[in-house]
Amino acid sequence: MTKPMREIAATARPFDTVLIANRGEIALRILRTVQELGLRAAVVHHASEADAPAVRAADRAIEITGRTPVAAYLDPAQIIAAAHAAGAGAIHPGYGFLSENAGFARAVAAAGLVFVGPTPDAIELMGDKVRARAFVARHGFPVAPSAVEDEDPASFVERARAVGFPLLIKPAAGGGGKGMRIVRDAAALPEELARARSEGARYFGDGRLYVERYVENPRHIEVQVLGDSRGEVVHLYERECSVQRRFQKIIEETPSPALSAAERDRVCEAAAGIARAARYRNAGTVEFIYGGGEFFFLEMNTRLQVEHPVTEMVTGIDLVREQLRIAAGEPLGMRQSDVRVEGHAIECRVYAESPAHGFVPTAGPVLILRLPEGEGVRVDSGIRAGQRVTTAFDPMLAKVIVRGRTRDEARARAHAALGDFVLLGCETNAGFLRRLLDHPAFADGAVHTGFLDAHPEIAAAPPPAPDLVEKLLAIAALSLRPVRDAADAVPPLYAAIGAWRN
Amino acid sequence: MRHAFTLADVEHELWLARAGDGHRLHLGARAIPVSLDRGLDGAATLRIDGARHHALVSVDGDHVHIHLDGETWTVRHADPVQRHGHHHGASADDIAQAPMPGTVIAVHVAQGQAVARGDTMVVIESMKLETAVKAWRDGTVAAVHVAVAQSFERSAPLVTLAPED
């Protein structure tokens, strides 16, 4: 972070300890800034992760319990009790879990604590995708053709058909790709609606749906915004997150290779306008679908995003620091003209999954872990050697973020950094990420959000060349005691005869 | 003694023999002089055909994890006894296996029930996505291996249909 930033004045701080209500890489990343600001960092953790890096680095760690590990992080009463126990004056929710739960934000305030996030009203507005769309449309910003179940449930299926195919079903209360389905065929619509309704009801306790026209070959462009409690808003330019699989982002970058300078200005100003209209406070992200020179509002995420580091890498602005300053009641530390982008940044998400086997999640011990280093390389990781990767939590293990002067330099650095990312014991998608970075479509900046689903061959790892097979089998055979012992038990002469028999 | 190793879903048979200070790897028609020096923290140096290659290696039971030239690989050593022990009972064609680890959301069939091709038998959830496991042919349910709320690993049997006549 190169830019000087006004610190929270020590005397004016409304809190000196921040409870981080999250885990994994984001808990550690938030903790780093909290401690850099001279504040104390407390984290909650499930018993299964008592050894995690964030727990070790925290000034205070508090165990939480639940029916499942995830359930523990979704329990507002327990999180607030932990904050009191740690003497924390503020709670940072990170992303996921309770980060976009208005009830939690209200409960935090009612407990006399500061919620490091937007107002509950803003969370509610943007969390209800139907209301959010209507709000954005009312303020004159573009949205895609759609049908909303709530407006007249009896005619919903008919109105959904009228939107036209392909269409996208979304849970009204959803986000992050959960429960979303593309339907290309009218005959499949009733069953897909039933499935989406069931998923929505289970994940969000709300089975209401809406459908919208699915833009073919769309690009996902989002804009980082910051707003303070005085109503000031700036944008920190866009990120492109078009490399996705089933709505899950895999690689993100900034600037977007898809936008002209005029389009960039238009989309960034629209995002800032939406945030301003909502009197948005905190860091937030306005997401758009972009295709054929047009962009439509998708949703606004009222939290820190997984991919926030690419913005930090090119602007030099620490978004967590800004969140904490805004939560402390300070005005924005910058004007729009102070925000400058230098270079190009790419983030690659390292997942515990097997691309060659349909991206099934993988699990296993972290036997050896070596993280890449070097010029322009940042790694946000939440794992350490000796831990076990399980399927109890999200499969994202770490993020490799690089910056270069140009997109090609960033791409080359990302490729090299992923080659230096060593995790033995649990399969990851690192090799797949390297193939993606090398793919001509990505090199040309021509990837749309359906690209990976349309090109499953990229996921299938090419078979190792014969000389590589020989090396790997030799290492394996020589590393296994029983194989070595069997070889050493045979006298050389017989071994030679054995070879002839082969 | 021959050994079976699986690498990238392909099985390889090999034979390792002592040769002077090192070993000889017999693979297909090739006999390749090899040796491996293992250092600290998983570092290893392979000598093969006179060339040296640096790798990181970690052994976990019969799995050997290897990082070599920027890529990670896992080689599995198949125990010769276990290798031929799978062929009892139902054939793989009669079993619906879990495509990935997950949790059972609903079970729509019971043992002895007749199902038609396309009937939903079990609904599972893995990584945010609900998937209906459907009957892939007409048949009779021989066994339901899971119950609602139960977690399972990849390749776990979910439902077995009675073998076709």
Side-chain angles (χ1 to χ4, degrees), chain A residues 181 195 198-199 202-203 246 248 357 360-361 365 367 370 395 419 422 434 470-471 475 478-480 487-488 499 502, chain B residues 2 9 16 18 23 26 30 36 38 41 53 56-58 60 65 67 70-71 77 99-100 125 127-130 154:
Chain A
R181 283 164 187 266
R195 197 66 62 228
S198 156
E199 284 183 9
R202 277 191 308 104
Y203 285 117
R246 290 201 214 129
Q248 191 65 250
H357 298 97
V360 294
L367 302 169
R370 297 211 182 161
V422 183
R434 295 179 93 209
E470 288 174 1
K471 289 176 201 158
I475 292 171
L478 291 165
S479 297
L480 287 169
D488 295 346
N502 278 318
Chain B
R2 285 166 172 280
D9 298 326
L16 192 67
R18 190 87 221 172
H23 290 84
H26 296 272
R30 299 247 296 143
L36 187 72
R38 300 191 64 178
D41 298 328
H53 305 274
L56 286 165
V57 181
S58 188
D60 184 20
H65 305 285
H67 188 85
E71 302 283 342
H77 178 220
M100 61 188 92
E125 181 211 282
M127 309 314 293
K128 303 179 182 176
L129 269 187
E130 243 183 56
R154 174 172 151 201

Short mmCIF file of all heavy atoms in Angstrom, two decimals, chain A residues 181 195 198-199 202-203 246 248 357 360-361 365 367 370 395 419 422 434 470-471 475 478-480 487-488 499 502, chain B residues 2 9 16 18 23 26 30 36 38 41 53 56-58 60 65 67 70-71 77 99-100 125 127-130 154:
data_model
loop_
_atom_site.label_atom_id
_atom_site.label_comp_id
_atom_site.label_asym_id
_atom_site.label_seq_id
_atom_site.Cartn_x
_atom_site.Cartn_y
_atom_site.Cartn_z
N ARG A 181 -30.35 -20.82 -11.79
CA ARG A 181 -30.42 -21.81 -12.86
C ARG A 181 -30.71 -21.15 -14.19
O ARG A 181 -31.57 -20.29 -14.27
CB ARG A 181 -31.53 -22.82 -12.56
CG ARG A 181 -31.10 -23.80 -11.51
CD ARG A 181 -32.21 -24.58 -10.89
NE ARG A 181 -31.60 -25.33 -9.81
CZ ARG A 181 -31.16 -26.59 -9.92
NH1 ARG A 181 -31.30 -27.25 -11.04
NH2 ARG A 181 -30.58 -27.18 -8.90
N ARG A 195 -37.11 -26.69 -8.29
CA ARG A 195 -35.80 -26.98 -7.71
C ARG A 195 -35.20 -25.69 -7.12
O ARG A 195 -34.66 -25.68 -6.02
CB ARG A 195 -34.95 -27.54 -8.84
CG ARG A 195 -33.71 -28.27 -8.54
CD ARG A 195 -33.72 -29.59 -7.82
NE ARG A 195 -34.36 -30.71 -8.40
CZ ARG A 195 -35.21 -31.50 -7.73
NH1 ARG A 195 -35.51 -31.24 -6.47
NH2 ARG A 195 -35.75 -32.53 -8.29
N SER A 198 -36.93 -24.74 -3.90
CA SER A 198 -36.51 -25.57 -2.78
C SER A 198 -35.14 -25.13 -2.26
O SER A 198 -34.91 -25.02 -1.06
CB SER A 198 -36.49 -27.03 -3.24
OG SER A 198 -35.63 -27.80 -2.46
N GLU A 199 -34.21 -24.84 -3.19
CA GLU A 199 -32.88 -24.37 -2.76
C GLU A 199 -32.98 -23.03 -2.05
O GLU A 199 -32.33 -22.81 -1.02
CB GLU A 199 -31.95 -24.24 -3.97
CG GLU A 199 -31.44 -25.58 -4.47
CD GLU A 199 -30.46 -25.43 -5.63
OE1 GLU A 199 -30.04 -24.30 -5.94
OE2 GLU A 199 -30.13 -26.46 -6.22
N ARG A 202 -34.24 -23.40 1.45
CA ARG A 202 -33.29 -23.99 2.40
C ARG A 202 -32.13 -23.04 2.71
O ARG A 202 -31.69 -22.96 3.85
CB ARG A 202 -32.76 -25.31 1.89
CG ARG A 202 -33.73 -26.47 2.21
CD ARG A 202 -33.12 -27.81 1.95
NE ARG A 202 -32.56 -27.88 0.62
CZ ARG A 202 -31.28 -27.81 0.35
NH1 ARG A 202 -30.40 -27.68 1.32
NH2 ARG A 202 -30.86 -27.88 -0.88
N TYR A 203 -31.63 -22.34 1.71
CA TYR A 203 -30.46 -21.49 1.96
C TYR A 203 -30.81 -20.16 2.59
O TYR A 203 -30.06 -19.60 3.37
CB TYR A 203 -29.69 -21.23 0.66
CG TYR A 203 -28.91 -22.42 0.22
CD1 TYR A 203 -29.20 -23.06 -0.97
CD2 TYR A 203 -27.90 -22.92 1.03
CE1 TYR A 203 -28.48 -24.16 -1.36
CE2 TYR A 203 -27.19 -24.02 0.65
CZ TYR A 203 -27.48 -24.64 -0.55
OH TYR A 203 -26.77 -25.74 -0.92
N ARG A 246 -20.25 -22.13 -13.17
CA ARG A 246 -21.53 -22.19 -12.47
C ARG A 246 -21.66 -21.00 -11.51
O ARG A 246 -21.96 -21.17 -10.33
CB ARG A 246 -21.66 -23.50 -11.68
CG ARG A 246 -21.83 -24.70 -12.59
CD ARG A 246 -22.45 -25.83 -11.79
NE ARG A 246 -21.97 -27.12 -12.20
CZ ARG A 246 -21.48 -28.03 -11.37
NH1 ARG A 246 -21.37 -27.76 -10.08
NH2 ARG A 246 -21.10 -29.18 -11.82
N GLN A 248 -19.60 -19.27 -10.05
CA GLN A 248 -18.55 -19.12 -9.04
C GLN A 248 -17.34 -18.50 -9.74
O GLN A 248 -16.84 -19.02 -10.73
CB GLN A 248 -18.20 -20.50 -8.48
CG GLN A 248 -17.33 -20.49 -7.25
CD GLN A 248 -17.98 -19.85 -6.05
OE1 GLN A 248 -17.60 -18.78 -5.64
NE2 GLN A 248 -19.00 -20.51 -5.48
N HIS A 357 -12.22 -34.00 -12.66
CA HIS A 357 -13.33 -34.86 -12.27
C HIS A 357 -14.59 -34.03 -12.01
O HIS A 357 -15.24 -34.18 -10.98
CB HIS A 357 -12.97 -35.69 -11.04
CG HIS A 357 -11.80 -36.60 -11.27
ND1 HIS A 357 -10.52 -36.27 -10.91
CD2 HIS A 357 -11.73 -37.81 -11.86
CE1 HIS A 357 -9.70 -37.26 -11.27
NE2 HIS A 357 -10.41 -38.20 -11.85
N VAL A 360 -15.23 -31.72 -8.57
CA VAL A 360 -15.69 -32.21 -7.25
C VAL A 360 -14.74 -31.69 -6.19
O VAL A 360 -13.53 -31.57 -6.41
CB VAL A 360 -15.74 -33.74 -7.17
CG1 VAL A 360 -16.79 -34.29 -8.11
CG2 VAL A 360 -14.39 -34.36 -7.43
N PRO A 361 -15.29 -31.34 -5.03
CA PRO A 361 -14.42 -30.89 -3.95
C PRO A 361 -13.49 -32.01 -3.49
O PRO A 361 -13.85 -33.18 -3.54
CB PRO A 361 -15.38 -30.49 -2.83
CG PRO A 361 -16.72 -30.97 -3.24
CD PRO A 361 -16.71 -31.31 -4.69
N PRO A 365 -5.00 -33.99 4.01
CA PRO A 365 -4.09 -33.26 4.89
C PRO A 365 -3.20 -32.30 4.11
O PRO A 365 -2.89 -32.57 2.96
CB PRO A 365 -3.25 -34.38 5.50
CG PRO A 365 -3.22 -35.43 4.44
CD PRO A 365 -4.55 -35.36 3.72
N LEU A 367 0.15 -31.58 3.81
CA LEU A 367 1.41 -32.20 4.23
C LEU A 367 2.58 -31.24 4.03
O LEU A 367 3.44 -31.10 4.87
CB LEU A 367 1.65 -33.49 3.44
CG LEU A 367 0.54 -34.55 3.58
CD1 LEU A 367 0.74 -35.67 2.56
CD2 LEU A 367 0.53 -35.11 5.00
N ARG A 370 3.97 -24.53 0.40
CA ARG A 370 4.92 -23.46 0.08
C ARG A 370 4.20 -22.43 -0.75
O ARG A 370 3.61 -22.76 -1.79
CB ARG A 370 6.11 -24.01 -0.71
CG ARG A 370 6.87 -25.02 0.09
CD ARG A 370 8.34 -25.01 -0.27
NE ARG A 370 9.03 -26.03 0.50
CZ ARG A 370 10.20 -26.52 0.17
NH1 ARG A 370 10.81 -26.11 -0.93
NH2 ARG A 370 10.78 -27.43 0.93
N PRO A 395 -14.65 -24.40 -0.36
CA PRO A 395 -13.40 -25.03 -0.81
C PRO A 395 -12.28 -24.05 -1.17
O PRO A 395 -11.20 -24.49 -1.57
CB PRO A 395 -13.83 -25.82 -2.05
CG PRO A 395 -15.03 -25.11 -2.55
CD PRO A 395 -15.72 -24.51 -1.36
N GLY A 419 2.84 -21.74 -10.34
CA GLY A 419 3.79 -22.85 -10.44
C GLY A 419 4.59 -23.02 -9.15
O GLY A 419 5.07 -24.11 -8.85
N VAL A 422 2.80 -24.62 -3.84
CA VAL A 422 2.92 -26.07 -3.60
C VAL A 422 2.04 -26.44 -2.42
O VAL A 422 2.23 -25.95 -1.31
CB VAL A 422 4.37 -26.47 -3.29
CG1 VAL A 422 4.46 -27.99 -3.13
CG2 VAL A 422 5.31 -25.99 -4.38
N ARG A 434 -3.40 -22.38 -14.20
CA ARG A 434 -2.28 -22.07 -15.10
C ARG A 434 -2.68 -22.29 -16.56
O ARG A 434 -2.33 -21.52 -17.44
CB ARG A 434 -1.05 -22.92 -14.77
CG ARG A 434 -0.47 -22.62 -13.40
CD ARG A 434 0.70 -23.53 -13.14
NE ARG A 434 1.95 -22.90 -13.54
CZ ARG A 434 3.03 -23.58 -13.95
NH1 ARG A 434 2.99 -24.88 -14.05
NH2 ARG A 434 4.12 -22.94 -14.26
N GLU A 470 7.52 -41.31 -16.64
CA GLU A 470 8.67 -42.07 -16.12
C GLU A 470 9.23 -41.42 -14.86
O GLU A 470 9.53 -42.09 -13.87
CB GLU A 470 9.77 -42.16 -17.19
CG GLU A 470 9.40 -43.10 -18.32
CD GLU A 470 10.42 -43.10 -19.45
OE1 GLU A 470 11.44 -42.36 -19.35
OE2 GLU A 470 10.19 -43.83 -20.44
N LYS A 471 9.36 -40.09 -14.88
CA LYS A 471 9.91 -39.39 -13.71
C LYS A 471 9.00 -39.56 -12.50
O LYS A 471 9.46 -39.83 -11.39
CB LYS A 471 10.07 -37.89 -14.01
CG LYS A 471 11.18 -37.57 -14.98
CD LYS A 471 11.17 -36.06 -15.29
CE LYS A 471 11.87 -35.78 -16.60
NZ LYS A 471 11.44 -34.49 -17.17
N ILE A 475 9.86 -41.50 -9.02
CA ILE A 475 9.83 -40.86 -7.70
C ILE A 475 8.90 -41.62 -6.77
O ILE A 475 9.23 -41.89 -5.61
CB ILE A 475 9.38 -39.37 -7.83
CG1 ILE A 475 10.46 -38.56 -8.56
CG2 ILE A 475 9.10 -38.78 -6.45
CD1 ILE A 475 10.02 -37.14 -8.93
N LEU A 478 10.37 -45.05 -5.73
CA LEU A 478 11.52 -44.92 -4.84
C LEU A 478 11.15 -44.29 -3.50
O LEU A 478 11.92 -44.35 -2.54
CB LEU A 478 12.62 -44.10 -5.51
CG LEU A 478 13.30 -44.79 -6.70
CD1 LEU A 478 14.10 -43.78 -7.53
CD2 LEU A 478 14.20 -45.93 -6.22
N SER A 479 9.97 -43.68 -3.42
CA SER A 479 9.55 -43.05 -2.17
C SER A 479 8.78 -44.00 -1.27
O SER A 479 8.58 -43.70 -0.10
CB SER A 479 8.64 -41.84 -2.48
OG SER A 479 9.36 -40.87 -3.20
N LEU A 480 8.33 -45.12 -1.82
CA LEU A 480 7.51 -46.05 -1.05
C LEU A 480 8.38 -47.18 -0.50
O LEU A 480 8.98 -47.94 -1.26
CB LEU A 480 6.37 -46.61 -1.91
CG LEU A 480 5.25 -45.60 -2.19
CD1 LEU A 480 4.31 -46.15 -3.25
CD2 LEU A 480 4.48 -45.27 -0.91
N ALA A 487 12.42 -54.44 -3.92
CA ALA A 487 13.52 -54.41 -4.88
C ALA A 487 14.83 -54.82 -4.22
O ALA A 487 15.60 -55.61 -4.77
CB ALA A 487 13.65 -53.01 -5.48
N ASP A 488 15.05 -54.29 -3.01
CA ASP A 488 16.33 -54.54 -2.34
C ASP A 488 16.45 -55.97 -1.83
O ASP A 488 17.54 -56.44 -1.55
CB ASP A 488 16.51 -53.55 -1.17
CG ASP A 488 16.62 -52.12 -1.69
OD1 ASP A 488 16.84 -51.97 -2.92
OD2 ASP A 488 16.49 -51.19 -0.89
N ALA A 499 14.07 -59.04 -14.95
CA ALA A 499 13.88 -58.05 -16.01
C ALA A 499 13.71 -58.75 -17.36
O ALA A 499 12.89 -58.34 -18.16
CB ALA A 499 15.08 -57.11 -16.05
N ASN A 502 10.37 -60.07 -18.02
CA ASN A 502 9.39 -59.05 -18.40
C ASN A 502 9.36 -58.88 -19.90
O ASN A 502 8.75 -58.04 -20.43
CB ASN A 502 9.70 -57.72 -17.71
CG ASN A 502 9.15 -57.73 -16.30
OD1 ASN A 502 8.05 -58.21 -16.06
ND2 ASN A 502 9.94 -57.25 -15.37
N ARG B 2 5.96 -57.20 -9.45
CA ARG B 2 5.34 -56.12 -10.23
C ARG B 2 4.49 -55.25 -9.31
O ARG B 2 3.90 -55.75 -8.36
CB ARG B 2 4.42 -56.70 -11.29
CG ARG B 2 5.12 -57.30 -12.46
CD ARG B 2 4.14 -58.14 -13.25
NE ARG B 2 4.73 -58.58 -14.50
CZ ARG B 2 4.81 -57.78 -15.58
NH1 ARG B 2 4.31 -56.57 -15.54
NH2 ARG B 2 5.36 -58.23 -16.67
N ASP B 9 -5.43 -41.11 -13.53
CA ASP B 9 -6.48 -42.07 -13.87
C ASP B 9 -6.01 -43.19 -14.80
O ASP B 9 -6.82 -43.93 -15.35
CB ASP B 9 -7.70 -41.38 -14.50
CG ASP B 9 -8.36 -40.39 -13.55
OD1 ASP B 9 -8.34 -40.66 -12.33
OD2 ASP B 9 -8.86 -39.35 -14.01
N LEU B 16 10.70 -52.60 -9.97
CA LEU B 16 11.89 -51.88 -9.51
C LEU B 16 12.93 -52.91 -9.11
O LEU B 16 12.62 -53.87 -8.40
CB LEU B 16 11.52 -51.01 -8.30
CG LEU B 16 12.56 -49.98 -7.86
CD1 LEU B 16 12.73 -48.89 -8.92
CD2 LEU B 16 12.15 -49.36 -6.52
N ARG B 18 17.22 -53.53 -7.93
CA ARG B 18 18.48 -52.96 -7.44
C ARG B 18 19.47 -52.92 -8.59
O ARG B 18 19.54 -53.88 -9.38
CB ARG B 18 18.98 -53.91 -6.33
CG ARG B 18 20.12 -53.43 -5.52
CD ARG B 18 19.65 -52.60 -4.35
NE ARG B 18 20.58 -51.48 -4.26
CZ ARG B 18 20.44 -50.45 -3.47
NH1 ARG B 18 19.39 -50.36 -2.69
NH2 ARG B 18 21.34 -49.50 -3.45
N HIS B 23 18.83 -47.87 -8.50
CA HIS B 23 17.83 -48.84 -8.91
C HIS B 23 17.62 -48.73 -10.41
O HIS B 23 18.09 -47.81 -11.07
CB HIS B 23 16.50 -48.58 -8.19
CG HIS B 23 16.54 -48.90 -6.73
ND1 HIS B 23 17.01 -48.02 -5.79
CD2 HIS B 23 16.18 -50.02 -6.05
CE1 HIS B 23 16.93 -48.57 -4.57
NE2 HIS B 23 16.42 -49.80 -4.71
N HIS B 26 11.80 -50.71 -14.40
CA HIS B 26 11.34 -51.43 -15.60
C HIS B 26 9.92 -51.02 -15.88
O HIS B 26 9.01 -51.28 -15.09
CB HIS B 26 11.43 -52.94 -15.39
CG HIS B 26 12.83 -53.41 -15.18
ND1 HIS B 26 13.67 -53.75 -16.22
CD2 HIS B 26 13.56 -53.57 -14.04
CE1 HIS B 26 14.84 -54.12 -15.74
NE2 HIS B 26 14.81 -54.02 -14.42
N ARG B 30 11.11 -50.52 -21.33
CA ARG B 30 12.26 -49.71 -20.93
C ARG B 30 12.81 -50.14 -19.58
O ARG B 30 12.05 -50.51 -18.68
CB ARG B 30 11.84 -48.23 -20.82
CG ARG B 30 11.32 -47.64 -22.13
CD ARG B 30 12.24 -46.58 -22.69
NE ARG B 30 12.35 -45.39 -21.84
CZ ARG B 30 13.49 -44.72 -21.68
NH1 ARG B 30 14.60 -45.15 -22.27
NH2 ARG B 30 13.52 -43.64 -20.93
N LEU B 36 17.01 -41.71 -6.08
CA LEU B 36 16.29 -40.59 -5.46
C LEU B 36 16.99 -40.24 -4.14
O LEU B 36 17.13 -41.09 -3.27
CB LEU B 36 14.84 -40.97 -5.20
CG LEU B 36 13.93 -39.84 -4.72
CD1 LEU B 36 13.64 -38.86 -5.85
CD2 LEU B 36 12.61 -40.40 -4.17
N ARG B 38 16.50 -38.03 -0.89
CA ARG B 38 15.47 -37.26 -0.19
C ARG B 38 16.11 -36.38 0.87
O ARG B 38 16.89 -36.85 1.68
CB ARG B 38 14.44 -38.20 0.42
CG ARG B 38 13.77 -39.05 -0.67
CD ARG B 38 12.57 -39.80 -0.16
NE ARG B 38 11.52 -38.88 0.26
CZ ARG B 38 10.35 -39.31 0.71
NH1 ARG B 38 10.10 -40.60 0.82
NH2 ARG B 38 9.43 -38.45 1.07
N ASP B 41 12.20 -31.53 4.59
CA ASP B 41 10.96 -30.87 4.21
C ASP B 41 10.44 -31.29 2.85
O ASP B 41 9.89 -30.48 2.11
CB ASP B 41 11.15 -29.34 4.24
CG ASP B 41 11.50 -28.85 5.62
OD1 ASP B 41 11.03 -29.46 6.59
OD2 ASP B 41 12.25 -27.86 5.71
N HIS B 53 16.60 -33.91 -11.47
CA HIS B 53 15.37 -33.11 -11.38
C HIS B 53 15.03 -32.90 -9.92
O HIS B 53 15.04 -33.85 -9.14
CB HIS B 53 14.21 -33.82 -12.07
CG HIS B 53 14.49 -34.18 -13.49
ND1 HIS B 53 14.27 -33.31 -14.53
CD2 HIS B 53 15.01 -35.30 -14.05
CE1 HIS B 53 14.63 -33.88 -15.68
NE2 HIS B 53 15.08 -35.10 -15.41
N LEU B 56 9.40 -31.81 -4.91
CA LEU B 56 8.94 -31.90 -3.52
C LEU B 56 8.05 -33.12 -3.45
O LEU B 56 7.19 -33.33 -4.32
CB LEU B 56 8.17 -30.65 -3.12
CG LEU B 56 9.02 -29.40 -2.90
CD1 LEU B 56 8.17 -28.15 -2.87
CD2 LEU B 56 9.80 -29.53 -1.58
N VAL B 57 8.26 -33.94 -2.43
CA VAL B 57 7.56 -35.22 -2.36
C VAL B 57 7.02 -35.43 -0.96
O VAL B 57 7.68 -35.13 0.04
CB VAL B 57 8.54 -36.39 -2.69
CG1 VAL B 57 7.78 -37.73 -2.64
CG2 VAL B 57 9.19 -36.19 -4.04
N SER B 58 5.77 -35.91 -0.89
CA SER B 58 5.21 -36.27 0.40
C SER B 58 4.40 -37.55 0.25
O SER B 58 3.62 -37.70 -0.69
CB SER B 58 4.31 -35.13 0.92
OG SER B 58 3.93 -35.40 2.25
N ASP B 60 1.66 -40.22 1.75
CA ASP B 60 0.54 -40.35 2.66
C ASP B 60 -0.07 -41.73 2.42
O ASP B 60 -0.88 -41.90 1.51
CB ASP B 60 -0.47 -39.23 2.38
CG ASP B 60 -1.63 -39.24 3.37
OD1 ASP B 60 -1.48 -39.82 4.46
OD2 ASP B 60 -2.68 -38.65 3.05
N HIS B 65 2.50 -37.77 -3.24
CA HIS B 65 2.22 -36.46 -3.82
C HIS B 65 3.54 -35.84 -4.27
O HIS B 65 4.51 -35.81 -3.50
CB HIS B 65 1.55 -35.55 -2.79
CG HIS B 65 0.31 -36.15 -2.19
ND1 HIS B 65 -0.88 -36.22 -2.87
CD2 HIS B 65 0.09 -36.73 -0.99
CE1 HIS B 65 -1.79 -36.80 -2.11
NE2 HIS B 65 -1.23 -37.12 -0.96
N HIS B 67 5.45 -32.56 -6.42
CA HIS B 67 5.45 -31.28 -7.14
C HIS B 67 6.71 -31.25 -7.99
O HIS B 67 7.82 -31.34 -7.47
CB HIS B 67 5.45 -30.10 -6.16
CG HIS B 67 5.26 -28.78 -6.84
ND1 HIS B 67 4.02 -28.27 -7.15
CD2 HIS B 67 6.16 -27.86 -7.28
CE1 HIS B 67 4.16 -27.08 -7.74
NE2 HIS B 67 5.46 -26.82 -7.83
N GLY B 70 6.52 -27.15 -11.53
CA GLY B 70 5.36 -26.25 -11.44
C GLY B 70 4.01 -26.95 -11.36
O GLY B 70 2.99 -26.30 -11.23
N GLU B 71 4.00 -28.27 -11.48
CA GLU B 71 2.72 -28.99 -11.44
C GLU B 71 2.73 -29.99 -10.28
O GLU B 71 3.79 -30.50 -9.90
CB GLU B 71 2.49 -29.77 -12.74
CG GLU B 71 2.49 -28.92 -14.00
CD GLU B 71 1.21 -28.13 -14.20
OE1 GLU B 71 0.18 -28.48 -13.57
OE2 GLU B 71 1.24 -27.16 -14.98
N HIS B 77 -0.30 -46.08 -5.24
CA HIS B 77 0.21 -47.45 -5.32
C HIS B 77 -0.92 -48.39 -4.95
O HIS B 77 -1.49 -48.28 -3.87
CB HIS B 77 1.38 -47.60 -4.34
CG HIS B 77 1.95 -48.98 -4.31
ND1 HIS B 77 2.33 -49.59 -3.13
CD2 HIS B 77 2.21 -49.85 -5.30
CE1 HIS B 77 2.80 -50.79 -3.41
NE2 HIS B 77 2.74 -50.97 -4.70
N PRO B 99 -21.36 -38.43 -7.09
CA PRO B 99 -20.39 -37.80 -7.98
C PRO B 99 -19.38 -36.93 -7.22
O PRO B 99 -18.34 -36.59 -7.75
CB PRO B 99 -21.25 -36.94 -8.90
CG PRO B 99 -22.52 -36.70 -8.13
CD PRO B 99 -22.71 -37.87 -7.23
N MET B 100 -19.71 -36.58 -5.97
CA MET B 100 -18.83 -35.73 -5.17
C MET B 100 -19.28 -35.84 -3.71
O MET B 100 -20.37 -36.33 -3.46
CB MET B 100 -18.91 -34.28 -5.64
CG MET B 100 -20.29 -33.68 -5.52
SD MET B 100 -20.40 -32.06 -6.30
CE MET B 100 -20.93 -32.51 -7.95
N GLU B 125 -27.13 -32.80 -1.99
CA GLU B 125 -26.62 -31.45 -2.09
C GLU B 125 -25.11 -31.50 -1.91
O GLU B 125 -24.61 -32.11 -0.98
CB GLU B 125 -27.21 -30.57 -1.01
CG GLU B 125 -26.71 -29.16 -1.09
CD GLU B 125 -26.64 -28.53 0.25
OE1 GLU B 125 -27.69 -28.13 0.75
OE2 GLU B 125 -25.53 -28.48 0.82
N MET B 127 -21.85 -28.71 -2.35
CA MET B 127 -21.31 -27.41 -2.70
C MET B 127 -22.40 -26.50 -3.26
O MET B 127 -22.33 -26.06 -4.40
CB MET B 127 -20.18 -27.55 -3.72
CG MET B 127 -19.12 -28.55 -3.34
SD MET B 127 -18.60 -28.35 -1.64
CE MET B 127 -17.81 -26.76 -1.74
N LYS B 128 -23.43 -26.23 -2.49
CA LYS B 128 -24.47 -25.26 -2.80
C LYS B 128 -25.46 -25.75 -3.85
O LYS B 128 -26.42 -25.08 -4.13
CB LYS B 128 -23.88 -23.94 -3.35
CG LYS B 128 -22.88 -23.25 -2.47
CD LYS B 128 -22.41 -22.01 -3.20
CE LYS B 128 -21.35 -21.26 -2.42
NZ LYS B 128 -20.85 -20.12 -3.17
N LEU B 129 -25.21 -26.88 -4.50
CA LEU B 129 -26.09 -27.29 -5.59
C LEU B 129 -26.87 -28.54 -5.23
O LEU B 129 -26.31 -29.49 -4.70
CB LEU B 129 -25.25 -27.60 -6.83
CG LEU B 129 -25.00 -26.47 -7.80
CD1 LEU B 129 -24.30 -27.01 -9.03
CD2 LEU B 129 -26.30 -25.80 -8.22
N GLU B 130 -28.15 -28.48 -5.55
CA GLU B 130 -29.00 -29.64 -5.35
C GLU B 130 -28.99 -30.47 -6.62
O GLU B 130 -29.12 -29.94 -7.71
CB GLU B 130 -30.44 -29.16 -5.12
CG GLU B 130 -30.99 -29.50 -3.77
CD GLU B 130 -32.43 -29.06 -3.65
OE1 GLU B 130 -33.25 -29.47 -4.48
OE2 GLU B 130 -32.71 -28.29 -2.72
N ARG B 154 -17.08 -38.78 -1.96
CA ARG B 154 -17.15 -39.04 -3.39
C ARG B 154 -17.10 -40.55 -3.64
O ARG B 154 -16.38 -41.28 -2.96
CB ARG B 154 -15.96 -38.36 -4.07
CG ARG B 154 -15.82 -38.67 -5.53
CD ARG B 154 -14.74 -37.78 -6.10
NE ARG B 154 -14.09 -38.45 -7.22
CZ ARG B 154 -12.88 -38.10 -7.65
NH1 ARG B 154 -12.21 -37.16 -7.04
NH2 ARG B 154 -12.36 -38.70 -8.67
#
